[in-house]
Structure formats: structure tokens, C-alpha cells
Amino acid sequence: LLMTTEIFMSIGCLLLAWNASLPAPHLWIIFLVSSAMSAINGLHRPAIESMTQQLVTKNDYTTVGALVTFKFNLCMIAGPALGGLIIAHYGVTKTFIFDFSTYFVSLIALLLMTHVPKPDMHEQDESTFQSVKSGFKYALSRQELIGTSLVDFLAMVFGMPNALFPAIAASYGGAKTLGLLYSAPAVGGLVISLFARVFEKVKRHGAAIAMAAVFWGVSIICFGLVNHLGSALFFLAMAGVFDGISGIFRMTMWNQTIPTRLRGRMAGIEMISYLSGPRLGDTEAGLIASVFGVTASVISGGVLCVAGVAICCFCLPKFWKYKASIE
């Protein structure tokens, strides 16, 4: 499944390269291919996450979570920067072709994975509908899992003012500062991922996720209150730090407690929150800003994030009290 999705996404890059090479590129092709690649990624991510339990010992789940956080934030910083440099020097078409060539690296890496354990075929005859139904049924039976997704969803909806960054950048000097605002959270997440060993001693994973989300909201509030670029970037970086901490413990909790045969389905359910939260957050931030102003939108979002996490912990006590049993 991983190799198939990688191949199809590489074909998407080729189609975008072909479209960019046309005298008059078609906008509808960009929308169609990008939507298709996002859909394919919806198969790719659950597949790769479901393999973690089969390749890594339980005591190393926290380290794996830190590595994933490191990879994600590094790519968030380096990807756009590298893409911009290639576009500036060689154009859009060659940039897409370069992106296409990178899939060969991942395909080779997958081919080298020759000792992947066979999946549990306990429910191999289960229909697709029954598979999805059993996945949701299991998720809803676990307050800990509901809490991890709900807290992350609230943080993304109310505490991610990404849609307002262009307007905020205008007050800090214009377009030249916009990239700094977008990259600051990734820098914070990248730094905190280097301290994975510290988190291995923490057993109250539910409380750690909740507190990280609260401090994420507090950081966003402070970001909205300051009027100096250096301070704004600092608080965005701190938001990235707490987002990284939350992500590390979410991944650790999921890998430690979800049966291997359900891990892929749970990753698919998690993507509902992961993909819809930021877009809903953009909508919420834009609507509030249009009525009350940008500053009020940022601050209120942080406040709602903190309040939402507190309510979530009150309504889901098993999530707040969850303690890992792995030694």
C-alpha cells in the first residue's frame, strides 16, 4: 500500500510538471491533482503509522514520536525554503520534476525494508464498512483516545491563526516577515524534538497532552498581545514547542494502547481531526477577525483553546488521569 501510494503521488508531481510546462497552465489541473494527492495521502499516512508497532519496541515509542516530530518540522522549514530556491533558479517545471525524483529515494527505502512482520489477518474477511464501523466503535469506547483527538482538534480550530499571518505580517514590515511567521512554530517543534529522552520518564500522558495544549493556547494569547516582531516570533516558536510535546505524547499513547490490527484504522480516524481542524481554524479566525479585528481574533482563539481543553479534561476524566503502564 505504501509503495502504491508513493508511485501515485509521484505521478501527481509529473502531471503538475507537465501542466507547468504549458504556455497557459490550467488551474483546474492544479486543483484536481492536489485534491487527488491529498486523497492518496489519506491512505499513505495510516499505512505507515500502522507499521510502527511492528517495527519498534514499546519502550521506544516516545523516541519514535520525537523523530516523527523532528522530521515533520524539519520538512516544514526546509521544504518551502528549498522549493523557493529551486523555483527562483530553475523555474516551476523543474521544481516539480525534482520533487518527482525524491520519490525514488522513499521507494528504495521501502524496498530495503525486507523484514516487516506480516499483518494480523484476524479480520481479513471483514467488509470495508464493517472495518470502518469497528474502528469508530473502538475509538468511542476509549476516553483516552477521544481526549487526544478532541484536544488536538480544539487547539487547531481555535489556536492556529495561520490565516491571519498575512495581515499580521503587514504590521511587521510586509511580505519579508510572512515566511518567518509561518516557520517559527516549526522551529520550536524542531528544537523540542531533540529532547525526547526527557519525555520517556513521563507516564501521565493524558495530562501531558492537555497541559501542552493549554500552554499552546497561552502562547497564542501572548502572540496576540505583543507588538514587536521578535516577541511575536518567540511566542509562535513556544507554541510550536508545546505542539511538538503534544504530538509526541499523542503518538506514544496511541502506539502503546491500540491493538496492531486496529492501528491503521485509528490513524485514518485521527486524520479527520488532523486535516479538518486547521481549515476550520482558518475559517474561524477569518470570521472573527472580519468582525472584531485581527488582534481580537488571535487572543480570543487562544482563550477558547484553553477553555476548551479544560472542559474536555472535565468531561473525559479517564483521559486526564491516564497513566502509561509501560516500564
Side-chain angles (χ1 to χ4, degrees):
L1 184 58
L2 279 173
M3 295 186 68
T4 302
T5 52
E6 291 272 349
I7 291 171
F8 274 105
M9 286 192 288
S10 69
I11 293 173
C13 286
L14 277 183
L15 290 173
L16 291 173
W18 167 76
N19 183 57
S21 68
L22 297 176
H26 301 288
L27 184 61
W28 66 268
I29 292 180
I30 297 176
F31 281 114
L32 179 63
V33 173
S34 61
S35 298
M37 292 179 74
S38 294
I40 295 169
N41 185 55
L43 300 174
H44 182 276
R45 181 176 172 181
I48 201 168
E49 289 194 7
S50 66
M51 292 174 65
T52 301
Q53 295 174 327
Q54 303 175 63
L55 299 172
V56 182
T57 62
K58 292 184 177 181
N59 290 332
D60 289 328
Y61 285 157
T62 302
T63 303
V64 171
L67 285 172
V68 172
T69 300
F70 177 85
K71 175 211 69 175
F72 176 80
N73 288 291
L74 178 63
C75 293
M76 286 289 289
I77 298 169
L82 181 60
L85 288 173
I86 298 175
I87 289 173
H89 288 85
Y90 301 103
V92 176
T93 302
K94 290 184 178 180
T95 302
F96 281 127
I97 293 175
F98 175 79
D99 193 9
F100 166 76
S101 69
T102 62
Y103 282 95
F104 285 100
V105 178
S106 58
L107 286 171
I108 292 172
L110 289 171
L111 288 171
L112 292 175
M113 295 173 63
T114 56
H115 300 291
V116 180
K118 291 185 180 296
D120 184 358
M121 304 304 289
H122 175 71
E123 296 181 356
Q124 59 180 335
D125 297 325
E126 192 177 41
S127 67
T128 301
F129 176 77
Q130 283 297 121
S131 176
V132 174
K133 182 179 178 181
S134 62
F136 274 102
K137 183 178 180 180
Y138 178 80
L140 293 174
S141 70
R142 295 275 309 281
Q143 277 195 15
E144 308 96 303
L145 300 185
I146 296 174
T148 58
S149 295
L150 187 56
V151 164
D152 186 49
F153 183 76
L154 291 172
M156 288 187 290
V157 170
F158 296 119
M160 287 188 74
N162 288 8
L164 304 180
F165 282 173
I168 296 172
S171 64
Y172 287 132
K176 63 183 179 181
T177 62
L178 181 58
L180 296 176
L181 294 178
Y182 278 123
S183 62
V187 172
L190 183 67
V191 171
I192 198 63
S193 66
L194 300 176
F195 298 92
R197 291 294 178 184
V198 176
F199 304 125
E200 291 180 356
K201 300 178 181 180
V202 178
K203 301 301 180 183
R204 290 284 304 277
H205 292 172
I209 294 170
M211 293 304 298
V214 167
F215 282 113
W216 161 280
V218 172
S219 298
I220 294 300
I221 293 172
C222 294
F223 166 67
L225 290 173
V226 300
N227 54 11
H228 183 267
L229 179 60
S231 299
L233 294 175
F234 170 78
F235 285 116
L236 281 179
M238 291 305 299
V241 166
F242 295 117
D243 183 47
I245 293 173
S246 175
I248 290 171
F249 283 113
R250 284 200 312 273
M251 185 172 297
T252 302
M253 182 188 292
W254 281 52
N255 282 327
Q256 286 182 349
T257 63
I258 298 174
T260 301
R261 64 184 179 85
L262 294 173
R263 186 64 182 91
R265 273 171 270 186
M266 293 298 100
I269 293 173
E270 186 185 21
M271 285 193 72
I272 298 175
S273 166
Y274 177 79
L275 295 177
S276 63
R279 302 292 76 80
L280 291 173
D282 290 342
T283 304
E284 181 271 339
L287 289 174
I288 298 298
S290 66
V291 178
F292 300 103
V294 173
T295 300
S297 177
V298 175
I299 295 174
S300 64
V303 171
L304 289 172
C305 173
V306 173
V309 172
I311 294 172
C312 179
C313 292
F314 178 79
C315 296
L316 301 172
K318 290 183 179 179
F319 163 67
W320 170 254
K321 296 177 181 179
Y322 173 81
K323 184 177 182 180
S325 58
I326 304 299
E327 296 297 336

